Amino acid sequence: MPLSTGACGANRREWPYERGLHDLGGGCFAYLQPDRPPHAGWSNSGFIHSAGDALLIDTLRDERLTAAMLREIEATTGVAVQDIGKVLNTHRDADHTFGNGLLKHAEIIATEFTASNMRERAPAVARMNDYVKNRPEGIVGDYILYTWGAPFHIEGFEPALPTSTFSGQKSLRVGELDVHFVEFGPAHTPSDTIVHVPARRIVYAADIVFLGNTPAIWAGPVSNWLAALDYLENLDVDVVVPGHGPITDKSGLAPTRRYLTMVEHEARLRFDRGMSVAEAARDIDLGEFRNWGAPERILINVDTCYRHFRGDLLPTPRHELDKLVAPLAVEMGSFRP
């Protein structure tokens, strides 16, 4: 269905939530991938070009998907992959970085923390196929395959890391356009970047905004993520491109805010009662968010909240989370082995 976005009244525009490149006007584009099983990995990207210069905002979950996006960019705008001089990775996650290898010729930009995090995780990323191939039997193994296996192609994959870094804020010119990078974190991940194009009244919010897909609080605290949403709310923009979900306007910030606020409040109540993470995740009523994609992420989010309540900032290993998340996904009906 089309989703209304943009300024109010006569200037309001609509973009359908369909896979592919969407023209936002003035040399700015969004590349959308509507969520479909498996739920992890279907992310959005952005593209800006002006006066012969070009910036790609995030690659995709694998090189095959990224190559398809780059072909569509060239077909629509005439900008070939070799003419894209800059790439920004908004954060470390696979669905925003695993296509970097197709743009090794470009300056790959990230925050210092994101680049460091990607370097630290590179050995584990290189072993991802082993994690999938050597997965345990049963529901947990099936879930790992569901989230990391086909249709994604990461066999023989080696991550291409950022070549240029910044901290806090960075401004640059893309042709005739001023573009601003603003770092937040830790929030969704240890470091998250948004991209603001003031002259076009557009912000690429990356994974600070989820619509129709359950946010994952990998880092937290929730208060930092809410502060990032406050920043977006105060920007003079008409168009918000989320990391997951349809193009929106600033009204699209509210669902993410409500979800995060709900999770932290409900997790705190159950933490104070002495409930385990798994018990709390099953006990929380998701309400308006029960039909969002990957509702089982409530367990990941409760786990992160509990860690912050305890003052324990070390993340829970992914394989330990998978053991708890997989059966919950079956119970919630979002995953069928």
Side-chain angles (χ1 to χ4, degrees), residues 110-128:
T111 67
E112 289 185 10
F113 209 114
T114 291
S116 175
N117 211 210
M118 288 172 67
R119 285 193 297 270
E120 292 169 358
R121 289 158 56 96
V125 168
R127 295 193 303 270
M128 187 57 67

Side-chain angles (χ1 to χ4, degrees), residues 276-330:
S276 70
V277 167
E279 289 170 338
R282 285 171 169 78
D283 193 57
I284 292 173
D285 181 359
L286 295 180
E288 66 176 296
F289 307 105
R290 65 171 53 91
N291 293 322
W292 277 25
E296 68 272 13
R297 287 179 184 159
I298 183 65
L299 191 144
I300 296 167
N301 298 336
V302 169
D303 178 73
T304 299
C305 287
Y306 270 38
R307 289 192 291 104
H308 282 281
F309 298 156
R310 294 192 303 264
D312 178 8
L313 303 186
L314 289 176
T316 303
R318 182 61 183 264
H319 67 275
E320 294 295 334
L321 287 173
D322 283 339
K323 292 177 184 177
L324 298 174
V325 172
L328 181 60
V330 175

Side-chain angles (χ1 to χ4, degrees), residues 131-307:
Y131 182 59
V132 176
K133 289 178 181 177
N134 299 321
R135 64 192 183 276
E137 295 182 357
I139 290 173
V140 176
D142 291 341
Y143 187 77
I144 291 170
L145 182 62
Y146 167 72
T147 54
W148 285 103
F152 306 119
H153 299 265
I154 58 174
E155 189 165 353
F157 166 78
E158 293 184 8
L161 301 175
T163 57
S164 176
T165 63
F166 72 98
S167 292
Q169 299 190 22
K170 177 181 177 66
S171 296
L172 51 78
R173 294 278 289 183
V174 178
E176 298 176 348
L177 291 174
D178 287 319
V179 178
H180 304 303
F181 302 157
V182 183
E183 177 187 15
F184 298 96
H188 167 59
T189 66
S191 176
D192 301 286
T193 302
I194 65 164
V195 179
H196 180 207
V197 190
R200 301 295 183 252
R201 301 172 64 88
I202 293 169
V203 64
Y204 296 88
D207 281 10
I208 294 297
V209 178
F210 284 68
L211 278 177
N213 187 291
T214 304
I217 312 171
W218 296 115
V222 168
S223 59
N224 282 1
W225 198 328
L226 295 177
L229 290 170
D230 289 341
Y231 184 94
L232 291 172
E233 187 68 48
N234 289 321
L235 284 180
D236 185 17
V237 297
D238 297 326
V239 179
V240 177
V241 180
H244 298 267
I247 301 164
T248 185
D249 56 19
K250 287 200 288 188
S251 67
L253 306 178
T256 302
R257 183 186 298 278
R258 290 197 302 272
Y259 179 85
L260 296 173
T261 302
M262 178 274 293
V263 168
E264 184 176 50
H265 174 73
E266 297 297 333
R268 183 80 222 194
L269 292 176
R270 288 155 181 82
F271 177 84
D272 290 343
R273 293 177 197 159
M275 297 175 70
S276 70
V277 167
E279 289 170 338
R282 285 171 169 78
D283 193 57
I284 292 173
D285 181 359
L286 295 180
E288 66 176 296
F289 307 105
R290 65 171 53 91
N291 293 322
W292 277 25
E296 68 272 13
R297 287 179 184 159
I298 183 65
L299 191 144
I300 296 167
N301 298 336
V302 169
D303 178 73
T304 299
C305 287
Y306 270 38
R307 289 192 291 104

